[in-house]
Amino acid sequence: LAHITHEAVEKIGGIGSVLEGLMTSPLYQHQVKRSILIGPIATHLAIDSEKRLGEEGRVLYSSIDQIDRASLGSRLRPVERAFNVALVYGIRTYVESASGRTGESEVLLVDVFGVNPDRLNAFKWRLWKTFGLDSRQYESNWDYEEYVRLAKPAFYALLALLEEKDYPCVVMGHEFMGMPAALATILEGKEK
């Protein structure tokens, strides 16, 4: 499962609690072999490269910090170049305090600040043409704009991370922020 969420790195509220519960649930772990949390990253903030995925995270790839511990550059760099984004990928550990159960998820973060405007506008046009979603009405709302910018690079980075055995992969959009990526998956994901 791929979860599009604003709480990919830290638990802020309800979605973070749900994700913690899922990732530490033995039933979820038995049924779902691979979970990837996808969200945006704010690279303009000064941060220790090892803390990009939170206190319980391990960075395996970060083009921002020139880290490639998992030899993913050949798979992720083409996505970064195509969309003019930076990607951070790694593993996050969850510990459910009441029960002491643990779990892990993969985390994929996308820096959306410099996204390719031509590709972004083409995506917005397809959203309007296919779903009647007029992005012009919401472009001044960063919550909307950020997740529309995230959608296509996240989709293609997800494809780059998946192996044939990982299909089918279900993309879940948590709250309204996940909707653009879910729509991108509908538009682009027909072959998988």
Side-chain angles (χ1 to χ4, degrees), residues 14 40 44 68-69 78 88 90 126 138 144 165 179 189-191:
H44 62 281
D68 191 3
R69 295 179 179 121
V88 175
R126 286 187 72 198
Y138 311 106
Y144 176 83
K165 65 182 170 63
M179 185 56 69
K190 294 178 179 146
E191 295 175 14

Side-chain angles (χ1 to χ4, degrees), residues 28-162:
Y28 180 89
Q29 292 171 358
H30 179 72
Q31 294 297 320
V32 178
K33 300 303 178 207
R34 192 169 181 193
S35 295
I36 304 174
L37 308 183
I38 302 172
I41 184 172
T43 61
H44 62 281
L45 299 174
I47 188 168
D48 178 355
S49 61
E50 297 302 325
K51 301 296 182 198
R52 289 200 189 278
L53 300 181
E55 292 297 322
E56 300 296 328
R58 294 186 318 273
V59 175
L60 299 176
Y61 177 86
S62 172
S63 59
I64 299 164
D65 307 297
Q66 290 76 51
I67 295 171
D68 191 3
R69 295 179 179 121
S71 299
L72 292 170
S74 63
R75 293 159 72 177
L76 294 176
R77 277 192 296 276
V79 176
E80 292 175 312
R81 282 192 298 272
F83 292 96
N84 196 40
V85 297
L87 299 172
V88 175
Y89 170 80
I91 305 293
R92 179 177 172 197
T93 301
Y94 288 85
V95 179
E96 203 277 312
S97 56
S99 67
R101 293 185 309 223
T102 63
E104 284 188 341
S105 70
E106 297 167 60
V107 178
L108 172 65
L109 302 178
V110 183
D111 174 2
V112 300
F113 286 100
V115 73
N116 180 306
D118 295 331
R119 289 184 182 263
L120 176 62
N121 288 331
F123 176 54
K124 288 178 179 180
W125 181 82
R126 286 187 72 198
L127 289 175
W128 176 79
K129 183 178 182 221
T130 307
F131 303 109
L133 178 56
D134 186 357
S135 294
R136 293 175 302 170
Q137 295 180 35
Y138 311 106
E139 285 177 335
S140 63
N141 180 330
W142 180 245
D143 285 338
Y144 176 83
E145 182 70 11
E146 180 176 35
Y147 283 88
V148 170
R149 290 178 179 205
L150 174 100
K152 293 273 298 249
F155 174 79
Y156 284 102
L158 178 62
L159 288 183
L161 292 170
L162 295 176

